[in-house]
Every structure is written in structure tokens, then in C-alpha cells.
Amino acid sequence: MRHFLNLSDAGPDGVAAMLADALDRKAARAGWPKGEVDADAPLAGHVLAMGFEKTSTRTRDSFDMAIRQLGGTSIVMDAGQMQLGRGETVADTAHILSGYVDAIMIRTDDHAKVEELAAHASVPVINGLTDYSHPCQIVADLQTVIEAGYALPGLKMAWLGDGNNVLTSMMEAAGMMQFDIVAACPQGFMPSDEDVALANGRARVVGTAKEAVEGADIVVTDTWISMGQEHADTKLAAMMPFQVTSELMADAKPGAKFLHCLPAHRGEEVTAEVIDGPNSLIWPEAENRLHAQKSILRWCFGQIG
Ligand code: CP
Ligand code: NVA
């Protein structure tokens, strides 16, 4: 059984296979109507159930379109529509859904819930974001970086702002795919030592934004207030020196590119000038969620990697 709860579940070879597959399949259907099924329909007859205990635009729609383009169909459930939200256990939910569908994707708060779902499901379980990690996002991000002409080994990435779930998965990716990541986060919002250790010596945490972007090929940030967190003016104030501005981008490598998983808050973690500027990769990054989800699904079913 192949679950995808973190990038390490696939390992470097699995992630490399996903990236190659996503790039190939994207090219193979360039210009096609979005609803047209891929020529080989590799997941014909398969059903993906998606459960959302938090809101989503990209993850929801990209997974829905991903399974359709692979020849399958989906069921989407929001928190308020599931008995899970009224106290039915995760384990019972895993057993029930395993009898109906071929794979389950879930977005939730506590990472332990995804682990419990996987422990009791007899079909693949995919982590569509938890408070701990967001591995699906990172497959799309790496695809975007490769499309922009970079090789992952030796790449220099800078992370600015909150030491959050997306950073955890990016740290894990750095260790697996051999790129370097320097994170600049304010006191109290730094990644844990365990998260840094995921990068296998390829991650550093520094105290200023300028230090982080020095020599960076790619500059990445994310919202300062993640889903489920209280809006706190003190946190926003602490984050302000880590805002990605044009001045900061000028301190990175010439031509450095900008990534953001979205949704974005212009004027907070990044200025409009940067995120809407010529070096921003946010639109291909968001589109690649679709192509990456397809390769994640195919990996879960043992078709690649
Ligand atoms: N980046 C991302 O996961 O977006 P959604 O919250 O819209 O799914
Ligand atoms: N860190 C953000 C990512 C959103 C895709 C959050 O958890 O809300």
C-alpha cells in the first residue's frame, strides 16, 4: 500500500519519478480541453474521495481535475458534510471509505489524523495539507523550478517568514533532492530542530532576510497566518522584516525567481511588485498542482516509481 503523507514516503526516486511523469504528461496534453481524458486513461474506473476539514481552492480543484484527466472520478466532502465532524472516528471513516473508493485525499489540522486514516485504510491515503506538512505542494514547486531551467541538485533556495507546514515539506525535499535551503524566520516562528534535520544538513536558519537570499536562485514565502491560526498583530509585526520586496530580490542572485504556494496576501509576506512581477512563477506553480497531483496519484497506484 502506497500512502503519501510526506515526501519521504516516496523517497528521492519516487519524487524524481513523479516530477518526470508530471512534466511528460503536461507536455503530452498541452492545449487540450481541460476535461479531456489523457490518451492512456491510466486510472480509468478509479474513484478518489476527498475530505476537507479546512478550506481549499487549488488542492480541491487540482485533485478533482487530476483524477478526471487520468480517467477516474471523485467525491468531495467538506467537514460539515462528514460524520467525522460529529465525532465518528477517523479509523471508522477509513474502513468505510475503503469499501467505496480507490484512494482518499484528506486536508485536516492534526497530522496524526492523516496517519491514523492511513493506518486503517486499505486504499492509498494522500495528505492534502496538515498543520505539519504539505507534500503535494512541494512536488508542484519542484516541477516549476525544473521548468524554469534549474537542476535541483545544488540549487539555492531561500525561505522567508513563517516556519510553517510548507517549509517542513520543503526542508524534507531539500534533503532528498540535494538542494540547499536557507530560512529566515523571526524568533518564535522558526522551524523546529526536527524540521531542519529533515534536510539532512542542507538547511540553515538565519536571523535576517538579507542573509537568507544571498546567492539564492529561488526565493519562497507563504502566508504569515496559516489556516486555523489566530490572526495576531504581534505575529504580523514580527514578520514584517521578512517581507519579500523588490529590494530583497535584488540581494538574491540576478534573475532569481519567486515562488508562493498561494493564497497570498499582497503587502504582507510579499509586495505586489514582486508577486505580480516578471520573476514570479506563481501561475505555473499553481497550474502545476494539477500535473503534480496526477503523478502523485499514479505513484500511489504503483504506476510509476
Ligand atoms: N496552495 C494550496 O494548497 O492552496 P489551497 O489552500 O487553495 O488548496
Ligand atoms: N501555510 C498555509 C498553506 C496554505 C496552502 C496554511 O497552512 O494555511
Side-chain angles (χ1 to χ4, degrees):
M1 181 62 55
R2 285 184 164 184
H3 301 301
F4 189 61
L5 308 192
N6 282 305
L7 292 164
S8 55
D9 291 328
D13 292 348
V15 171
M18 288 175 190
L19 293 170
D21 189 60
L23 290 162
D24 283 355
R25 296 188 86 85
K26 179 179 180 179
R29 60 169 298 130
W32 290 22
K34 307 287 192 300
E36 203 157 315
V37 176
D38 286 357
D40 54 349
L43 290 181
H46 290 66
V47 180
L48 171 70
M50 290 186 267
F52 287 94
E53 294 200 299
K54 289 178 170 179
T55 50
S56 170
T57 298
R58 279 146 289 269
T59 305
R60 173 190 300 249
D61 291 353
S62 60
F63 262 112
D64 202 341
M65 288 309 298
I67 188 73
R68 291 193 216 187
Q69 289 189 1
L70 294 170
T73 54
S74 68
I75 297 172
V76 186
M77 299 167 293
D78 284 315
Q81 300 167 321
M82 288 186 285
Q83 300 290 12
L84 191 58
R86 290 183 58 240
E88 185 164 31
T89 68
V90 173
D92 286 1
T93 305
H95 285 291
I96 306 306
L97 291 179
S98 297
Y100 300 149
V101 301
D102 302 291
I104 303 166
M105 191 236 76
I106 183 147
R107 167 169 286 194
T108 188
D109 42 19
D110 187 357
H111 192 76
K113 279 195 205 171
V114 181
E115 291 176 335
E116 196 182 350
L117 195 70
H120 294 277
S122 54
V123 299
V125 171
I126 298 170
N127 171 10
L129 179 146
T130 64
D131 290 348
Y132 172 67
S133 64
H134 195 7
C136 296
Q137 177 68 49
I138 303 308
V139 181
D141 288 4
L142 299 185
Q143 179 185 352
T144 309
V145 166
I146 293 168
E147 277 179 348
Y150 297 95
L152 294 181
L155 181 90
K156 304 249 176 277
M157 186 180 283
W159 176 277
L160 280 302
D162 197 18
N164 67 13
N165 46 2
V166 178
L167 176 58
T168 300
S169 291
M170 197 63 96
M171 293 260 187
E172 190 173 41
M176 288 169 48
M177 309 312 282
Q178 309 290 306
F179 62 89
D180 295 307
I181 181 163
V182 184
C185 312
Q187 286 293 341
F189 303 102
M190 290 185 173
S192 67
D193 291 346
E194 292 77 28
D195 288 349
V196 174
L198 290 172
N200 252 329
R202 292 210 163 251
R204 280 191 302 129
V205 181
V206 296
T208 67
K210 199 172 162 61
E211 281 173 271
V213 300
E214 197 182 330
D217 300 294
I218 305 284
V219 177
V220 192
T221 191
D222 185 13
T223 181
W224 288 341
I225 310 286
S226 281
M227 290 181 276
Q229 294 178 346
E230 294 286 317
H231 183 96
D233 288 343
T234 47
K235 183 172 183 185
L236 296 187
M239 291 288 166
M240 212 56 208
F242 301 87
Q243 184 186 56
V244 181
T245 61
S246 296
E247 292 71 36
L248 189 69
M249 292 298 289
D251 286 333
K253 253 191 206 161
K257 304 288 188 247
F258 174 77
L259 290 180
H260 189 313
C261 64
L262 306 180
H265 305 80
R266 289 167 176 80
E268 292 188 9
E269 69 272 12
V270 59
T271 61
E273 197 179 23
V274 172
I275 195 168
D276 300 320
N279 289 330
S280 174
L281 298 178
I282 58 165
W283 303 135
E285 180 184 11
E287 183 190 327
N288 284 338
R289 294 297 306 278
L290 164 62
H291 306 292
Q293 317 299 30
K294 291 167 73 175
S295 61
I296 291 165
L297 285 163
R298 273 166 49 74
W299 178 84
C300 284
F301 286 103
Q303 295 185 344
I304 55 169

